[in-house]
Amino acid sequence: MTDAYFPTPDLVLTGARLATFDVAHARPSGQADADALVIAEGRIAWMGYSGALPTAAMVAPRIDCAGQWITPALIDCHTHLVYAGSRAREFELRLHGASYEQIAREGGGIRATVAATRAATVDELVQQALPRLQALVDEGVMVVEIKSGYGLDTATELNMLLAARRLAQMLPVTVRTTFLGAHALPPDYAGHADDYIDLVCTQMLPAIAGQGLADAVDAFCENIGFTPAQTERVFIAARELGLPVKLHAEQLSNQGGAALVAKYGGLSADHLEHLDEAGAQAMAASGTVAVLLPGAYYFLRETHTPPIELLRRLKVPMAISTDINPGTSPFSSLLLMLNMACTLFRMTPEEALTGTTRNAARALGMGATHGTLAVGKAADLLAWNVGDLAELCYSYGTHRPVLRLRGGKRVDRL
Ligand SMILES: [Zn+2]
């Protein structure tokens, strides 16, 4: 290598095992033929052997990783973690035999979350969401996507996105916001779904885009959500505003949502338990990421798994996420999802870890800067004191990163 130009190094890691998750490295988890990494100007500036460090790095502060694994920081690419209230009581009632319909009649279910979220101030939304986000950050998550979708009116959808942006100023994490106005039909629009979609497209979306509060637009395309035609209207409105789209697709039935979001060059199609070959082929052709959500599958006690083998065969990139939400996935742990992806979906540990790093970055349109260890990428990385990376997927409850660097700066040592 040459030292002709080298930015002033801020930090050097040596004695590490580097799991880059970069396709340039063919070995499992992209393990690099290297044990050292140089950070400069917030980015990875060099990777190689510690015996061949660039001259400029010789005097920089150094951390000996003593054989620990270094991975890219974790990315949670699908959450609904901003909401108010709790559904624990409803959970309990159901276990005492109450039906979903009974609970819905009494104002429970998503209606309860919408009512509580509408009643909350932005500050209250922030305070209630903070422990959920803190839990992710503690595990090593440095990028998280947060959706709106429990306001279902313009003011509350704006408040949810404002809360999400404010959370990013409180914890060492990058937040990507997604407008999910087409999440559910609000009670006041019962029987008038097309009118509600009018509101989403002509009022909510322009207001949110006008304030720059959304990085992407999502919808729930399902028998109990919105039709493909209604979903497409949302996508067209998003495209006119220059916002990328993604979709809750084929979770409970096959609606052709994956092919629809692929047609609009979507970032991701999420859930996908009922995805068919045509949908998967459309995703492969458009480069749309399959975001798999084992927490919701588990909590709903589903039995129809997403077609992992089909996604593998067609080389559709697979991401894994928490889907944190009060109704179907109240789990603020991406590490738990790694285990569930392996046990419930039979993904390999390498696939699961790729799904929370490289492919999760891609699902957020951040693949160029995040998700792998490579020269030029953000120095968002973690050190793990495990013998084998599969430990992170195999057991749950004991693993925390022993070192966290965000933009090359040490967040803390736990
Ligand atoms: Zn979701």
Side-chain angles (χ1 to χ4, degrees):
M1 74 149 289
T2 168
D3 281 14
Y5 167 73
F6 205 92
T8 306
D10 299 317
L11 187 62
V12 177
L13 305 182
T14 57
R17 287 185 284 178
L18 303 177
T20 67
F21 293 94
D22 188 328
V23 289
H25 303 286
R27 285 155 57 175
S29 301
Q31 188 179 353
D33 285 323
D35 76 328
L37 184 150
V38 177
I39 294 163
E41 297 172 349
R43 295 170 187 273
I44 297 169
W46 183 88
M47 287 193 295
Y49 280 104
S50 46
L53 280 173
T55 314
M58 301 302 278
V59 294
R62 192 178 290 204
I63 295 175
D64 177 11
C65 295
Q68 291 163 350
W69 282 100
I70 304 290
T71 68
L74 301 178
I75 296 173
D76 196 351
C77 64
H78 178 140
T79 86
H80 309 250
L81 69 79
V82 169
Y83 63 85
S86 167
R87 304 255 288 272
R89 176 70 184 140
E90 180 183 311
F91 177 71
E92 190 175 14
L93 284 172
R94 290 187 73 168
L95 290 166
H96 281 289
S99 69
Y100 184 84
E101 289 71 24
Q102 276 174 299
I103 288 166
R105 262 202 312 276
E106 287 162 25
I110 192 170
R111 278 184 173 209
T113 301
V114 170
T117 303
R118 285 179 174 178
T121 64
V122 175
D123 277 347
E124 287 164 347
L125 291 174
V126 166
Q127 288 308 316
Q128 293 193 39
L130 200 53
R132 296 188 275 269
L133 184 57
Q134 180 74 62
L136 294 179
V137 168
D138 288 347
E139 288 188 334
V141 172
M142 291 190 196
V143 179
V144 63
E145 185 251 23
I146 301 177
K147 303 175 194 292
S148 69
Y150 292 118
L152 311 180
D153 62 30
T154 306
T156 316
E157 290 290 305
L158 281 165
N159 281 351
M160 289 185 72
L161 295 169
L162 281 167
R165 287 280 168 87
R166 197 174 296 172
L167 284 162
Q169 294 159 8
M170 301 172 73
L171 291 173
V173 66
T174 298
V175 170
R176 285 293 170 116
T177 50
T178 298
F179 170 58
L180 178 57
H183 188 196
L185 194 60
D188 35 324
Y189 277 84
H192 302 280
D194 283 319
D195 293 340
Y196 179 66
I197 293 294
D198 280 345
L199 180 77
V200 166
C201 295
T202 63
Q203 291 187 39
M204 287 188 192
L205 194 43
I208 283 157
Q211 295 192 38
L213 283 175
D215 299 306
V217 174
D218 194 352
F220 183 40
C221 182
E222 191 53 73
N223 284 324
I224 59 165
F226 295 95
T227 65
Q230 289 161 346
T231 301
E232 187 159 18
R233 288 179 57 205
V234 176
F235 286 176
I236 290 167
R239 187 171 62 183
E240 283 170 1
L241 292 165
L243 289 169
V245 296
K246 58 180 78 176
L247 188 63
H248 286 69
E250 341 300 21
Q251 180 185 8
L252 306 171
S253 62
N254 183 11
Q255 300 279 320
L260 177 62
V261 72
K263 178 179 154 191
Y264 283 83
L267 291 169
S268 66
D270 303 37
H271 286 289
L272 300 175
E273 276 79 348
H274 295 266
L275 177 70
D276 64 9
E277 174 130 10
Q281 279 175 343
M283 290 174 67
S286 64
T288 299
V289 176
V291 176
L292 306 172
L293 305 166
Y297 173 92
Y298 160 83
F299 197 74
L300 292 170
R301 306 174 78 230
E302 295 286 351
T303 53
H304 198 296
T305 53
I308 303 296
E309 200 51 54
L310 173 65
L311 293 167
R312 281 182 184 134
R313 176 160 55 81
L314 297 179
K315 297 189 167 40
V316 177
M318 293 184 278
I320 300 295
S321 178
T322 58
D323 192 20
I324 298 171
N325 77 79
T328 64
S329 191
F331 306 116
S332 300
S333 172
L334 196 54
L335 293 178
L336 178 58
M337 297 306 127
L338 289 178
N339 178 271
M340 286 187 179
C342 298
T343 54
L344 299 176
F345 294 170
R346 313 309 292 164
M347 293 174 74
T348 67
E350 184 178 8
E351 285 174 330
L353 287 161
T354 303
T356 53
T357 54
R358 183 175 81 226
N359 290 345
R362 195 168 156 183
L364 295 178
M366 299 174 75
T369 53
H370 291 73
T372 65
L373 304 183
V375 171
K377 290 244 175 148
D380 284 9
L381 49 88
L382 308 168
W384 302 94
N385 195 13
V386 292
D388 188 317
L389 278 183
E391 288 279 354
L392 301 180
C393 302
Y394 159 71
S395 64
Y396 171 72
T398 49
H399 304 302
R400 287 292 180 272
V402 292
L403 174 70
R404 295 186 285 168
L405 298 177
R406 180 166 181 255
K409 299 262 186 311
R410 204 158 163 163
V411 177
D412 58 20
R413 186 182 275 275
L414 301 176

